[in-house]
Amino acid sequence: MITATYIVQAMILIKSLGGLGLRRGVGSGVGVAPLTTAHAFIAPTTTTRTSSSAAAAAFQKKTATAAAAISARSSAGRMMQLFSTTPTSSSSIGTPATSYDDGIRPYQITTPIYYVNDKPHIGHAYTSIACDVLARYMRLSGREVFFLSGTDEHGQKVEQSAANKKVSPQEFVDTVSVAFRELLDLLNISHDQFIRTTDPTHKAAVQHLWKTLADNDQIYLGQYEGWYSVRDECFYNESELVDGKAPTGADVEWVAKEESYFFKLSEYGDKLLEFYEQNPDFIAPKSRRNEVLSFVKGGL
């Protein structure tokens, strides 16, 4: 089912690439990459529905019935169902449970909040389709889904791109953000909300989060310096540079000591390690688990 949806939507994308002036992901672009937690954050919401053993047994029975019904449908019927955003049968009531997801409670998924320093390319289409497949699967399984997408409209890259176009940053992002909306419409992506980080509601939410952290003494004023890549939006140690450039090949520039506000992430190292220990399936893919643990143990 998932594969069929992906193939059909990918065909629509390939046929329509010229319509939006889409770029193919090359060089420093996002490009096409395997779906990992770096590309799409997938997690259930904190709302929990409890069930008795009897309910669990009923769940298993209904799941088996639903599976049999789906397999009995014709290929054309299954294809039509795939493009629906709501369950077509009351017997579709959940997905297999994991250690951190009971398979029943509301499900939240988001694409990357796409950066708007240029037009969307095929990498943006890929991650949107991958998230859409998961969202549709969850809805067809009877779960309540909240599917988010949007554009990230801040940063030096946006400022530089706007300057190159000789327009204000706001004018620039207003234009480019439309292309990302059109991309989702073109691919028939079933997102519930499209967020822009320049939206007044987003600004209010960020201000509320900042104030909450500040009131709880979780933000402090400090200094930083180092080799910085505007393209990568990342600082690098001297030992990481390759022929005077970032490991990614991006140019770097020395940033002298500047004051900045920092979050007290170091206070959460032990809590994170404890959480990972209690929830071994939380880090995905599993091949990255040791890498994450080593990073946290090395100090945050």
Side-chain angles (χ1 to χ4, degrees):
M1 292 172 62
I2 291 177
T3 303
T5 303
Y6 179 85
I7 291 173
V8 172
Q9 291 188 319
M11 289 172 63
I12 295 172
L13 164 67
I14 293 169
K15 183 177 179 181
S16 308
L17 276 175
L20 287 176
L22 296 179
R23 301 180 296 116
R24 298 185 184 276
V26 295
S28 62
V30 174
V32 178
L35 180 63
T36 67
T37 50
H39 299 97
F41 172 71
I42 307 163
T45 64
T46 55
T47 304
T48 304
R49 300 176 186 173
T50 59
S51 60
S52 64
S53 58
F59 166 75
Q60 292 177 351
K61 182 178 180 180
K62 289 183 179 180
T63 300
T65 302
I70 289 174
S71 65
R73 295 190 183 104
S74 66
S75 298
R78 289 199 299 271
M79 185 60 69
M80 290 298 293
Q81 185 188 29
L82 286 171
F83 283 90
S84 171
T85 57
T86 56
T88 58
S89 170
S90 60
S91 61
S92 301
I93 55 162
T95 56
T98 67
S99 61
Y100 55 88
D101 176 15
D102 61 12
I104 301 174
R105 59 184 169 178
Y107 184 87
Q108 175 183 321
I109 183 169
T110 177
T111 68
I113 304 303
Y114 297 122
Y115 210 64
V116 294
N117 60 308
D118 206 339
K119 292 180 181 178
H121 56 62
I122 198 168
H124 300 108
Y126 171 78
T127 50
S128 297
I129 291 172
C131 290
D132 187 55
V133 167
L134 287 168
R136 289 175 184 270
Y137 168 71
M138 291 296 175
R139 293 191 190 102
L140 289 171
S141 299
R143 297 183 66 170
E144 178 184 346
V145 172
F146 181 77
F147 178 10
L148 178 70
S149 190
T151 47
D152 180 358
E153 303 176 7
H154 82 289
Q156 287 177 278
K157 286 190 290 188
V158 169
E159 182 183 29
Q160 291 176 355
S161 296
N164 292 337
K165 297 286 187 180
K166 294 181 170 48
V167 296
S168 70
Q170 187 64 56
E171 289 178 287
F172 179 78
V173 298
D174 285 345
T175 300
V176 179
S177 183
V178 170
F180 284 88
R181 285 181 180 270
E182 291 177 342
L183 172 67
L184 300 184
D185 290 340
L186 172 68
L187 297 176
N188 193 27
I189 302 300
S190 61
H191 58 292
D192 298 293
Q193 182 179 349
F194 187 95
I195 188 173
R196 297 181 59 187
T197 58
T198 54
D199 287 340
T201 51
H202 179 74
K203 292 179 182 179
V206 171
Q207 291 168 352
H208 174 73
L209 174 61
W210 181 280
K211 185 177 185 304
T212 300
L213 292 172
D215 290 345
N216 287 274
D217 195 31
Q218 296 300 301
I219 294 178
Y220 65 96
L221 182 64
Q223 293 183 332
Y224 65 87
E225 65 178 355
W227 292 104
Y228 183 70
S229 166
V230 174
R231 193 188 80 183
D232 297 345
E233 295 185 317
C234 181
F235 278 93
Y236 292 101
N237 295 324
E238 186 85 35
S239 60
E240 295 178 286
L241 301 184
V242 179
D243 296 329
K245 293 181 178 289
T248 60
D251 291 329
V252 295
E253 58 186 64
W254 179 258
V255 175
K257 285 186 177 180
E258 290 185 5
E259 286 191 336
S260 183
Y261 288 96
F262 295 85
F263 172 64
K264 291 183 179 178
L265 185 60
S266 57
E267 292 189 2
Y268 295 87
D270 292 339
K271 294 178 181 178
L272 283 172
L273 292 173
E274 180 182 357
F275 179 82
Y276 297 149
E277 180 69 25
Q278 295 174 353
N279 301 273
D281 294 333
F282 184 78
I283 299 174
K286 289 187 176 180
S287 58
R288 296 292 185 181
R289 177 178 171 81
N290 289 337
E291 179 182 341
V292 173
L293 292 178
S294 297
F295 180 81
V296 176
K297 289 176 180 178
L300 299 175

